[in-house]
Amino acid sequence: MTDDRFPDATVHFGVFLQGVNHTTIWSDATSGSQIDFETFRRVAATAERGLFDAFFLGDGQRLREQDGKILDLDIAGRPDSITQLAALAGLTRHIGLVATQNITYNEPADLARKLAGLDLLSGGRAGWNAVTTDNAWTGANFRRGGFADHAQRYERAGAFVETARAIWDSWSDSAIASSSHGSDWLIPGSVRTVERDDQHFQVSITPTLPRSPQGHPVIFQAGDSSDGRDFAAAHAEVIFSRHGTHVDQALEFADDIRARLRAAGRPEDDIKILPGTQIVLAEKESEVPEKVRWVLENQVTGPTALSLVGQIWGKDLSDRDPDGPLPAEDPVSKPISETRGTPRHGRDPIEIARDWRELAEAKNLSLRQVAIETSQRSGFAGTPGQVADELTRWVRRGASDGFNISPYLVPTGLDEIVDWLIPELQERHSYRTEYTGSTLREHLGLRAPLTRRVTAPDVDMGARRTGKGPSSSAN
Ligand SMILES: Cc1cc2nc3c(=O)[nH]c(=O)nc-3n(C[C@H](O)[C@H](O)[C@H](O)COP(=O)(O)O)c2cc1C
């Protein structure tokens, strides 16, 4: 008896290079530079050697702070992801290059053009992780003088992606003369102007770039709320999800997305789900617990534990003893606009503190041990064979289509995965043995871009479905 719903499914891998935070062990002697370009080149080359689908970068436009003090654990010292991926495009040949870029603080004409540029330069390997950004304080960078609420951000996000798609679809596939014998370089009437005039965008854009070999960048989404999932079902092609540890939760999430896709009139397999995850491998089963322990202890050092707990307590705890107890006083509950990046803001800090105290008491844990227990990275641990079985089981049961792996060591963290795990997956026929396509869309097994597939060539999908959205006129 098997519960495999998709017996032939194969595992897709992305690598999510996070930067300094409490996933990446940066303070160990085996860690390399977290910011040198060589680090990124090396990880991308290893991922490509391992036949990964994608190299993925997050985005943060402002360092997180608490009470005016910059938090140590943040993605610091990083160039913008499109810039970084453009440099990597010249040094790689196959792997997809996915840039997280936020919707709330960008404009469609500008961002769609930059992403189309990356897509063209890389031969159709670009992806866009379209995030709304929950960081209220990022708005200060732009002097917006306020911050759109959750629902408004997703409304703008929908309008933004519709407009970006219209921009990417504005050049017909035959816009450029195929030989020097043509009378025109640009075939007359083949570039359309994108017009949009609503509460979100009042634009008239005549885009400058032709379509790439994959049509347009693959659209990723990361955001777990109901609005976020609906946004994905309407617009996304890949979801970077949070559900990468418990198979039952991952299945529930995937079933929910499949239902939302059906409701949006799209086939159930129209979105690929890649949960973020961490993989810890040891050659022998007996070595696994020790390796897991080593990773956790190094991820959550004493100062890191004080910083993580301090973010919940809403105060600077750096002068406390990480091996002592949790603070006796209750957390100071502050609105997110003041805490500027405190994680887990969705839950009341007092409630979290209560849970953590119960945990500390039940297991007799110090502050640092609580931080280790509660910040455990999601993921898989075992021998390469055990993890290969588990990952294969996930994709064949339909819990995900693969994983976006965050290596805990940079730049060497992917080596064991590529050298030990991938051969095991290949033996199980659940991983490719060579790249068979050249674009990111092909690696992921995605269909043609949504607009081209389901609409007449001249009509934007958003416009057709909602009666609004961008319209185009031929130039
Ligand atoms: C797995 C994951 C990764 C994310 N990565 C980023 C990122 O790199 N930059 C960013 O600004 N927001 C990122 N976000 C935050 C989203 O932009 C979004 O603002 C947030 O999840 C709130 O939306 P939600 O309530 O729908 O989850 C990420 C969210 C998830 C779930």
Side-chain angles (χ1 to χ4, degrees), residues 146-166:
F147 178 58
D149 71 20
H150 192 270
Q152 282 173 326
R153 271 179 282 154
Y154 273 114
E155 259 178 48
R156 184 177 197 272
F160 193 117
V161 174
E162 281 175 8
T163 310
R165 276 219 168 94

Side-chain angles (χ1 to χ4, degrees), residues 108-148:
D110 191 28
L111 183 57
R113 178 167 179 266
K114 286 180 185 154
L115 289 162
L118 179 65
D119 208 22
L120 269 180
L121 286 176
S122 63
R125 292 190 281 136
W128 170 30
N129 182 32
V131 296
T132 53
T133 300
D134 51 2
N135 310 333
W137 73 104
T138 300
N141 282 358
F142 305 93
R143 292 201 180 281
R144 286 264 162 92
F147 178 58

